[in-house]
Amino acid sequence: MRRYSRILFTALLAAAAAFNADAKVRLPKVISDCMVLQRDVELNVWGWADPGEKVTVRFDGNHYFTQADSKGNWAVKLAPHKAGGPYLLEVNEIILRDVLVGDVWLLSGQSNQETPIERLVDRYPEINVSNNHMIRLYKVPTQETPGVLNEDILQGERWHSGVASDIMNWKALAYFFAVEAYEKTGVPQGMLVSSLGGSRIESWIAEEYLLQIPEQAAQKAAADQAAAQQREQNDQSWLNESYDDSQWATVIEPNYLADSGIPNGVVFFRKGIDVPASMDGRHAKIYMGRMVDGDQVYVNGVLVGQTTYFGPPRKYDIPAGLLHEGRNVVAVRLTANAGDAGFVPDKPYKIVGDEAEIDLTGEWKYKQGPAPAGRGMGPGGNMMARGPRFTGAGLYNGMIWPVRNYNIAGAVWYQGESNAAQADKYQALLTRLISNWREVFNMPEMPFLICQLPNYMEKYDTPTDSDWARLREAQMKTHLSVPNTSLAVCYNTGEYNDIHPLNKKDLAKTLYIQAEDLYLHRKVVSSGPVYKDMKIVGNKIIISFTGVGGLRAQGGKLQHFAIAGADRNFVWADAEIKGNTVVVSSPAVPEPVAVRYAWANNPDNANLTNKEGLLASPFRTDDWEYQPETRRKVSY
């Protein structure tokens, strides 16, 4: 009887422990140690628990009671707090430490938003000795879920401090923006970075906003149909080590698909390799050079690495136990959109172990795969169509919606490279994104800072039309038409040969000036000259601007003005500042009708500013359709 009682008592204790474990409240992953909460607003704290579970939240000497609803959701609002800390935040038995109150900024977009800070340490050695615990960063893990709204973000991240031991986890623009803001305000800064390299703007917009555009609605229908087709064709047997690929064609790699006569799309590749005994069961690394556009690399049927866009070098780990002595198989799924898609030559393609290397160049087997759902080829293989084509709203669903209750000061948007080939659609998309985010964050006047595209690609010796110029124009038009937005003009911070320029520090300084204006409401000049109108006087065109307060030519004579007559043939022009106007002319155009300024992919010598040194945004006085033409590059 005593033995039975002990067993029953032990079982009851175990059941009670299990019940208590199940009944514990759960917090969103972004609400955690080291976080920064937004100052001067009612603060949202929310989470999940068993239905009816009572929840107590304690913060800075105050406590708040609530309980989970019938679906297990609960939420409280904390009283507004001034900047300060550190504080404890307690939710039932959960204790979060080192919590600051300050300014929180949402930084989103594509790869220039998430450029890792480690790339910049040579240029900015002060990064290595950063010692600022008052700035923090949280990088939202990538989660793309078209058609499914996620209530929480993925695991695997935490808030990082701005001290040297943690600084390599930062993103470059977020770091310099946080440093600038903290130095100017003394207020803790939290950078909530939700971005993905190669992403298109469509993926960051909620479906209900995106489908207001008829073209997007049609694309969604086509993507749904393609997804259904792919599910039928999604045979994974070719990844298996034992798969018979004897009927596949042979190709020599590395090489571009076009040079090998292989059409773009999805292409499957396989290569049998002989693994020596010294590599049997050992960890190794596989180098797959660079691949355009996206790749998934498998070893003996196991995915060892993947990259979604063309930029980074491919170096992946092969886990211990995967390789075995004798014949092994490397397989690659290549998603190819660009004109220069394929295995990029003159890069390393090999498996490297501690005692041996295996060369992966030479003969590979290949076959065409099924077209991927939700993706498409870029128009004409345009370079900026390299990135993966996401089904609309996928990143919004996985990386914006789950953090919608986290209070923020405003947003910093740096994106456009992947949409440059469709610049005429960009203003409508960006306008809807801003409206969407203001609604979902419950901030009708959310400060929204837009990073204009920097200068990129080689220069030309004659005026040209340009995808990137037209994308910059769409960004400017959005800024001018949507209240409480700003535009950081930065065509002096790019690099002609790198789509990921390193000068994020100057861009951050420009952005912070605009944050002072939109968010802090300080009386600062936050914009350079903005084109207002033109007047033709004889053989000259007089350009007027708004908000100038004095025009300047930075570094000497005005550069990068072009002028055209009725024939629409632009030539470089003479430009001279006259008061608050610029007078433009050319002996080659006796009857001018239009002027363009900084209208190129790379207008890095354009130098019109106001007296504060802020650049004038690129502009044109015409509304002519895009006219690509034969161009000659400038020699460097």
Side-chain angles (χ1 to χ4, degrees):
M1 185 67 183
R2 289 180 180 177
R3 180 173 178 272
Y4 175 78
S5 297
R6 285 197 302 270
I7 293 173
L8 178 60
F9 181 71
T10 302
L12 290 172
L13 285 178
F19 173 81
N20 289 335
D22 290 341
K24 286 182 179 179
V25 297
R26 183 165 63 89
L27 292 171
K29 295 176 184 64
V30 72
I31 297 182
S32 55
D33 292 335
C34 202
M35 67 180 172
V36 181
L37 298 175
Q38 178 59 38
R39 59 173 167 153
D40 301 331
V41 298
E42 282 191 318
L43 288 166
N44 298 318
V45 177
W46 74 99
W48 307 273
D50 285 349
E53 179 76 11
K54 290 181 170 55
V55 179
T56 302
V57 178
R58 303 176 182 89
F59 186 69
D60 192 24
N62 296 312
H63 57 270
Y64 307 83
F65 297 132
T66 189
Q67 69 181 52
D69 64 18
S70 61
K71 295 182 179 180
N73 300 306
W74 62 265
V76 299
K77 285 188 177 291
L78 310 186
H81 276 67
K82 298 296 182 184
Y87 298 103
L88 293 180
L89 175 67
E90 300 179 63
V91 181
N92 285 9
E93 69 277 13
I94 300 172
I95 301 177
L96 304 182
R97 293 176 167 82
D98 194 16
V99 176
L100 300 179
V101 177
D103 291 331
V104 181
W105 289 89
L106 173 65
L107 286 75
S108 187
Q110 56 182 110
S111 53
N112 270 303
Q113 187 67 274
E114 61 174 21
T115 300
I117 201 168
E118 62 183 342
R119 294 186 190 174
L120 277 66
V121 293
D122 290 338
R123 182 182 181 118
Y124 304 105
E126 68 267 25
I127 292 171
N128 284 321
V129 292
S130 178
N131 189 32
N132 192 339
H133 194 52
M134 294 294 104
I135 62 174
R136 313 281 175 85
L137 173 138
Y138 193 101
K139 174 62 175 74
V140 176
T142 298
Q143 182 175 216
E144 184 190 5
T145 54
V148 178
L149 288 169
N150 292 271
E151 288 302 320
D152 201 3
I153 56 179
L154 294 178
Q155 292 182 349
E157 259 300 347
R158 61 178 176 85
W159 283 92
H160 298 284
S161 174
V163 298
S165 59
D166 212 9
I167 203 64
M168 286 301 110
N169 292 296
W170 278 67
K171 304 304 177 184
L173 182 59
Y175 172 76
F176 285 115
F177 186 78
V179 167
E180 185 74 10
Y182 182 74
E183 288 179 352
K184 293 293 178 62
T185 65
V187 170
Q189 299 292 317
M191 303 290 111
L192 182 59
V193 180
S194 184
S195 57
L196 179 63
S199 59
R200 293 174 60 86
I201 188 173
E202 295 91 333
S203 199
W204 294 103
I205 304 173
E207 192 169 289
E208 60 267 30
Y209 277 84
L210 196 60
L211 299 186
Q212 294 170 8
I213 303 173
E215 181 184 67
Q216 294 299 319
Q219 289 180 6
K220 172 66 164 54
D224 289 345
Q225 182 180 9
Q229 293 172 347
Q230 183 167 329
R231 284 192 294 271
E232 296 174 0
Q233 302 172 13
N234 196 18
D235 177 13
Q236 300 295 311
S237 63
W238 66 277
L239 297 171
N240 296 335
E241 186 179 352
S242 59
Y243 180 83
D244 180 10
D245 58 15
S246 60
Q247 301 303 309
W248 289 24
T250 300
V251 65
I252 302 298
E253 297 292 354
N255 203 5
Y256 298 110
L257 296 186
D259 292 342
S260 298
I262 302 174
N264 275 7
V266 174
V267 187
F268 298 157
F269 295 86
R270 286 172 54 91
K271 184 176 181 64
I273 58 173
D274 187 45
V275 172
S278 65
M279 281 185 165
D280 184 85
R282 302 289 186 183
H283 169 268
K285 291 186 180 294
I286 183 168
Y287 294 79
M288 291 301 296
R290 279 186 58 241
M291 308 186 79
V292 180
D293 301 42
D295 63 273
Q296 294 173 304
V297 177
Y298 299 81
V299 174
N300 294 334
V302 175
L303 180 69
V304 297
Q306 60 183 330
T307 304
T308 58
Y309 68 111
F310 74 100
R314 272 55 167 175
K315 181 177 76 171
Y316 306 129
D317 288 295
I318 301 177
L322 188 54
L323 292 173
H324 56 81
E325 185 178 2
R327 186 181 184 275
N328 294 242
V329 172
V330 176
V332 175
R333 181 198 302 269
L334 181 69
T335 302
N337 297 320
D340 56 349
F343 291 45
V344 176
D346 299 323
K347 295 289 183 180
Y349 293 84
K350 58 186 178 181
I351 294 176
V352 178
D354 292 311
E355 299 178 6
E357 288 188 6
I358 301 172
D359 183 14
L360 297 180
T361 64
E363 287 191 359
W364 286 69
K365 294 284 191 173
Y366 81 92
K367 76 168 185 176
Q368 209 76 28
R375 298 176 184 260
M377 310 262 265
N382 183 283
M383 181 178 65
M384 294 320 300
R386 294 173 187 263
R389 296 301 185 91
F390 299 102
T391 299
L395 298 175
Y396 171 86
N397 292 345
M399 300 173 70
I400 297 297
W401 176 262
V403 297
R404 68 194 182 281
N405 294 320
Y406 202 87
N407 301 94
I408 61 175
V412 179
W413 176 251
Y414 193 164
Q415 193 277 341
E417 298 93 333
S418 289
N419 286 85
Q422 297 84 36
D424 58 324
K425 311 293 194 304
Y426 196 80
Q427 182 183 356
L429 291 165
L430 183 53
T431 299
R432 281 169 173 78
L433 181 144
I434 296 169
S435 297
N436 176 192
W437 288 16
R438 285 176 170 172
E439 179 185 42
V440 76
F441 281 92
N442 195 25
M443 297 177 67
E445 297 182 355
M446 173 199 288
F448 197 92
L449 284 55
I450 304 167
C451 300
Q452 198 176 56
L453 291 185
N455 49 305
Y456 175 55
M457 293 179 270
E458 294 182 339
K459 294 189 291 187
Y460 296 89
D461 60 359
T462 57
T464 64
D465 213 335
S466 157
D467 289 336
W468 278 44
R470 288 178 177 260
L471 197 287
R472 293 187 192 106
E473 179 184 51
Q475 293 171 321
M476 170 57 79
K477 286 182 175 180
T478 304
H479 159 54
L480 294 177
S481 62
V482 179
N484 225 37
T485 63
S486 68
L487 185 71
V489 179
C490 57
Y491 50 76
N492 61 342
T493 64
E495 300 175 31
Y496 88 92
N497 58 355
D498 194 340
I499 200 170
H500 305 126
L502 299 183
N503 187 2
K504 298 294 192 287
K505 188 173 185 178
D506 287 340
L507 173 57
K509 289 179 180 293
T510 300
L511 284 166
Y512 181 71
I513 292 171
Q514 297 174 343
E516 286 185 297
D517 180 13
L518 291 183
Y519 170 60
L520 298 176
H521 305 296
R522 294 175 175 171
K523 293 182 179 180
V524 296
V525 177
S526 61
S527 171
V530 175
Y531 168 71
K532 179 182 179 183
D533 55 37
M534 60 164 272
K535 180 170 63 174
I536 301 173
V537 180
N539 64 348
K540 295 177 171 50
I541 294 181
I542 301 174
I543 305 295
S544 298
F545 301 87
T546 60
V548 288
L551 296 175
R552 300 287 187 273
Q554 195 174 65
K557 184 180 178 181
L558 281 178
Q559 302 287 325
H560 229 289
F561 279 86
I563 195 167
D567 62 359
R568 303 188 178 188
N569 181 34
F570 280 92
V571 299
W572 294 126
D574 297 318
E576 184 180 3
I577 295 172
K578 295 287 187 181
N580 284 332
T581 67
V582 173
V583 180
V584 187
S585 64
S586 170
V589 185
E591 296 181 359
V593 298
V595 166
R596 291 178 176 178
Y597 167 72
W599 198 262
N601 293 323
N602 184 3
D604 71 340
N605 59 323
N607 61 343
L608 177 63
T609 72
N610 56 15
K611 65 180 181 181
E612 288 79 13
L614 297 174
L615 290 168
S617 180
F619 68 86
R620 58 178 176 144
T621 66
D622 64 89
D623 59 358
W624 300 337
E625 292 183 357
Y626 183 66
Q627 292 183 328
E629 53 189 299
T630 303
R631 301 170 288 186
R632 185 162 61 86
K633 298 175 183 177
V634 171
S635 298
Y636 281 85

